[in-house]
Amino acid sequence: MKPLTLTTERLVLRPFEPSDAPAVHAACQEPDIPRWTSVPSPYSHRDAEQFVGAIAPEGWRDDTSYNFAVVTKADGSLVGAMGLVRLDRLRTPERQAELGFWTAKEQRGRGYTVEAARAVLHWAFRDLGVERMEWLAEAGNDGSWAVARRLGFQREGTLRAKLLHEGTRRDVWIGSLLPSDLGDAEPGPSGPPDATPYLPYSG
């Protein structure tokens, strides 16, 4: 996938650049980010440089993750990271992806994360042909669930012992969002034209 840029009313979602490393490093010093995500802890300058210079661009090139730097239009401040991860089922009949994100502490509470996520979700459903978007978070991550709930995700349950974090198995919440939940029932011009029929259980 060739990296691309998305825009919203207040934000620009663009590929990470080497110059983002200091801001990424600063954001990931806040304890909640390594606590609830997979970023290394402690988080070093080298970790940030590796993420923006290698991990993020390689994800686009290898179709394993599409990570965006979310920055404000007003002054270019880093809001956080937002993207699609675990893309092994994107170009299979399953047509699934997972939404992942973190937000810098000083940028929370302004609706930025939901605004950025909506742009990524519309792009995924309409242009990539995603038919089921998943959200996963360690059980107890109420901040992540608050974002997912505002986006329309339905929490489907708890996956026991799904996550290995710091040598301990932890439970994971899982939720899903379908194109029709956002009004994106029809694929866009670059998405697959043959959407898979959905037969919900009527039980």
Side-chain angles (χ1 to χ4, degrees):
M1 168 70 69
K2 183 178 179 180
L4 75 159
T5 297
L6 305 173
T7 60
T8 70
E9 181 181 354
R10 300 179 294 169
L11 304 169
V12 176
L13 287 72
R14 58 164 175 76
F16 278 96
E17 303 168 351
S19 60
D20 293 318
V24 169
H25 174 259
C28 291
Q29 301 312 298
E30 198 271 314
D32 277 351
I33 292 179
R35 168 63 186 88
W36 295 111
T37 73
S38 60
V39 305
S41 179
Y43 197 81
S44 68
H45 287 282
R46 177 60 183 157
D47 290 322
E49 292 167 353
Q50 181 75 7
F51 175 70
V52 302
I55 296 172
E58 287 171 4
W60 285 96
R61 186 182 66 237
D62 301 338
D63 291 318
T64 54
S65 60
Y66 301 150
N67 279 299
F68 295 93
V70 182
V71 300
T72 61
K73 281 183 176 179
D75 60 8
S77 297
L78 181 72
V79 170
M82 172 75 60
L84 304 180
V85 299
R86 299 185 180 93
L87 296 178
D88 54 296
R89 293 180 294 171
L90 175 61
R91 291 176 174 81
T92 69
E94 285 81 5
R95 295 179 183 173
Q96 296 184 34
E98 180 184 334
L99 182 71
F101 52 86
W102 57 256
T103 307
K105 183 177 181 179
E106 64 274 13
Q107 303 286 9
R108 296 172 192 166
R110 305 178 185 181
Y112 285 153
T113 307
V114 170
E115 184 176 327
R118 285 197 177 111
V120 172
L121 291 168
H122 282 290
W123 169 65
F125 288 144
R126 295 191 59 81
D127 293 343
L128 299 183
V130 172
E131 295 184 350
R132 173 184 161 92
M133 184 68 68
E134 292 188 337
W135 160 87
L136 286 88
E138 183 181 335
N141 190 344
D142 294 320
S144 183
W145 170 236
V147 171
R149 184 176 62 245
R150 286 187 62 190
L151 292 166
F153 279 85
Q154 294 188 27
R155 200 159 84 192
E156 298 172 329
T158 300
L159 305 177
R160 298 185 304 155
K162 169 73 171 176
L163 175 68
L164 184 63
H165 184 77
E166 296 182 348
T168 303
R169 288 199 172 275
R170 319 242 178 150
D171 295 342
V172 168
W173 286 335
I174 183 170
S176 71
L177 190 76
L178 305 183
S180 55
D181 296 330
L182 281 184
D184 283 344
E186 298 299 325
S190 58
D194 53 339
T196 309
Y198 171 40
L199 181 62
Y201 176 64
S202 60

